[in-house]
Amino acid sequence: MSENVGQKAFYRHPDLANYSQQIAGTKEKKKGASKLFNLDFKLFYYCFLIGVKHEYRAKYKTDELKAMYKYFPDDFNSNEKFQIIALLISAYMEDTGLKLSKKEDLEEIMDKLLDVNSGEFLSEEGFKRINEYALGGFLKLKETYQYP
């Protein structure tokens, strides 16, 4: 990867763009093209959901992946952002056994995953875990559907 934007960014597997093109269709094939996956980030989000569902986080090095965005895309509304963050917190609690009902646990979750001074509300660890779940989900998708 030629551009290193650091850990506070969304990274995708190099093959994710090929999959989103297969799902969405090409510009030449507008008829039947899916509007659901008109953006790599939407497939990235879907892969994140798959990773969370299967409790599968794949480790990665940023130079093996492609940086997509430093921020949520403009067409992602704040409700969708907070849904991702809520799922991340839920998955983190499942991984660690922490509870929102305990003040100490809540503080740890907030310190570990969130950065209230960031426009995205995610810490470096928060971005890292989202990327790990999305990569894990993509690997599951790729295992099941051999597109390109």
Side-chain angles (χ1 to χ4, degrees):
M1 181 172 85
S2 59
E3 174 188 1
N4 186 358
V5 294
Q7 284 289 337
K8 286 190 90 170
F10 297 106
Y11 286 89
R12 68 171 168 83
H13 189 281
D15 291 343
L16 187 125
N18 294 332
Y19 274 72
S20 63
Q21 286 173 359
Q22 290 292 326
I23 292 169
T26 62
K27 289 183 180 179
E28 296 83 41
K29 295 167 110 181
K30 287 186 181 176
K31 184 179 180 184
S34 169
K35 293 187 182 193
L36 182 63
F37 293 107
N38 62 352
L39 184 67
D40 281 350
F41 193 84
K42 289 185 182 177
L43 183 55
F44 173 87
Y45 174 54
Y46 180 67
C47 291
F48 167 74
L49 294 175
I50 293 170
V52 168
K53 190 238 182 268
H54 290 280
E55 299 177 357
Y56 181 42
R57 292 184 322 167
K59 302 296 180 196
Y60 68 95
K61 295 179 184 172
T62 55
D63 60 343
E64 296 171 348
L65 303 177
K66 182 165 174 61
M68 288 190 335
Y69 296 98
K70 283 184 80 167
Y71 309 101
F72 285 101
D74 290 338
D75 66 343
F76 236 64
N77 68 43
S78 59
N79 187 38
E80 292 168 315
K81 292 177 193 179
F82 291 122
Q83 287 174 358
I84 290 174
I85 293 169
L87 282 170
L88 173 65
I89 290 170
S90 177
Y92 184 76
M93 289 176 8
E94 189 72 29
D95 283 352
T96 60
L98 297 175
K99 306 270 187 231
L100 284 179
S101 57
K102 292 174 134 183
K103 182 180 177 187
E104 301 81 25
D105 288 0
L106 179 59
E107 288 173 356
E108 181 178 331
I109 292 166
M110 299 286 286
D111 289 343
K112 194 77 166 174
L113 300 178
L114 304 178
D115 178 358
V116 294
N117 297 319
S118 159
E120 303 308 307
F121 301 104
L122 292 169
S123 68
E124 192 169 303
E125 180 68 19
F127 272 103
K128 178 178 168 253
R129 283 180 173 264
I130 286 174
N131 288 326
E132 288 174 347
Y133 279 117
L135 180 58
F138 179 73
L139 295 175
K140 288 269 186 204
L141 179 70
K142 194 172 176 179
E143 206 176 271
T144 307
Y145 299 101
Q146 308 286 319
Y147 272 123

